[in-house]
């Protein structure tokens, strides 16, 4: 396992094929988000048509407007193909599908981006649940990786994004609207 620090350094650049929110195939890239002066919330999940994954993917989509209000683009990534992503998006939520999504799902079919971000389980060819917040300048500001059995918390992701955007020192349990620490 790599012990290379990534936070507070330039994030690995990427461009991937994706299913866009309009259900068309396109590309997503960190460079494009940076050009548009956007924050990037990049998250990895193991596989399409599984059980924990749709709960996270749809929860983020349901709250996408809050990310948009914070000038952040959300990108979901797995090692599945764009065709598998599209089939899952076209499956209704009540049938373990995703339904309409408000952000793109990218396909890391060659596993390079998962490897670059240190979340690839090499022998399985799938990613761990990694979530990364990248500044508009391309700096990796936040990284969390957890076991694939545990879904992530949208409230916490939004809280961390807002804390990072204050540019200040945020104490434990800081919530948006609270004061940052004075030095």
């Amino acid at each position: 396992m790599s012990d290379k620090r990534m936070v507070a350094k330039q994030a690995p650049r990427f461009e991937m094929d994706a299913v866009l929110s309009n259900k068309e195939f396109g590309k997503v890239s960190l460079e494009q988000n940076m050009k548009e002066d956007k924050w990037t919330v990049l998250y990895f999940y193991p596989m399409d048509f599984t059980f924990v994954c749709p709960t996270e993917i749809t929860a983020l989509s349901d709250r996408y407007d809050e990310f948009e209000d914070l000038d952040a683009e959300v990108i979901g990534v797995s090692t599945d193909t764009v065709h598998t992503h599209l089939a899952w998006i076209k499956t209704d939520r009540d049938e373990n599908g995703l339904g309409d999504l408000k952000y793109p799902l990218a396909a890391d079919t060659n596993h390079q981006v998962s490897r670059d971000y240190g979340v690839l389980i090499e022998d399985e060819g799938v990613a761990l649940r990694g979530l990364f917040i990248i500044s508009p300048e391309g700096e990796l500001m936040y990284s969390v990786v957890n076991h694939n059995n545990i879904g992530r918390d949208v409230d916490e992701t939004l809280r961390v994004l807002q804390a990072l955007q204050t540019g200040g020192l945020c104490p434990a349990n800081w919530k948006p609207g609270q004061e940052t620490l004075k030095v």
Side-chain angles (χ1 to χ4, degrees):
M1 181 169 199
S2 172
D3 61 340
K4 226 169 82 175
R5 175 178 66 83
M6 292 175 56
V7 173
K9 291 184 177 182
Q10 284 294 299
R13 300 301 191 257
F14 61 81
E15 180 178 270
M16 291 177 280
D17 291 328
V19 177
L20 307 177
S21 59
N22 63 5
K23 296 188 178 108
E24 291 181 8
F25 296 134
K27 299 250 186 222
V28 292
S29 75
L30 181 54
E31 294 288 342
Q32 186 60 42
N33 289 352
M34 291 170 62
K35 281 182 194 158
E36 295 174 7
D37 202 31
K38 300 276 188 182
W39 288 78
T40 301
V41 176
L42 178 71
Y43 76 91
F44 294 83
Y45 65 94
M47 294 170 61
D48 292 349
F49 292 100
T50 54
F51 299 98
V52 176
C53 299
T55 65
E56 293 186 306
I57 294 167
T58 58
L60 282 160
S61 183
D62 291 346
R63 308 271 305 273
Y64 179 74
D65 294 347
E66 295 173 62
F67 288 97
E68 202 172 40
D69 289 346
L70 296 169
D71 291 322
E73 291 295 333
V74 175
I75 301 172
V77 183
S78 83
T79 57
D80 292 301
T81 68
V82 288
H83 301 287
T84 307
H85 289 345
L86 185 59
W88 201 21
I89 289 167
K90 287 183 170 180
T91 303
D92 289 333
R93 287 186 181 189
D94 58 6
E95 296 172 9
N96 198 39
L98 300 177
D100 291 338
L101 290 183
K102 294 182 179 174
Y103 62 86
L105 287 186
D108 183 26
T109 53
N110 68 4
H111 305 173
Q112 189 58 54
V113 181
S114 300
R115 194 173 285 116
D116 288 348
Y117 279 83
V119 297
L120 183 66
I121 303 172
E122 291 281 351
D123 57 336
E124 295 178 31
V126 299
L128 289 165
R129 291 188 196 284
L131 185 137
F132 303 88
I133 299 177
I134 304 164
S135 75
E137 296 75 38
E139 183 180 353
L140 184 57
M141 305 291 287
Y142 178 80
S143 166
V144 62
V145 180
N146 57 273
H147 193 283
N148 282 338
N149 291 348
I150 312 297
R152 289 159 284 202
D153 186 310
V154 178
D155 286 331
E156 177 62 3
T157 303
L158 284 162
R159 184 191 78 83
V160 170
L161 177 60
Q162 289 171 299
L164 290 168
Q165 290 180 347
T166 68
L169 301 173
C170 298
N173 303 317
W174 178 89
K175 298 279 190 273
Q178 293 178 342
E179 292 291 316
T180 56
L181 298 176
K182 305 290 183 229
V183 179

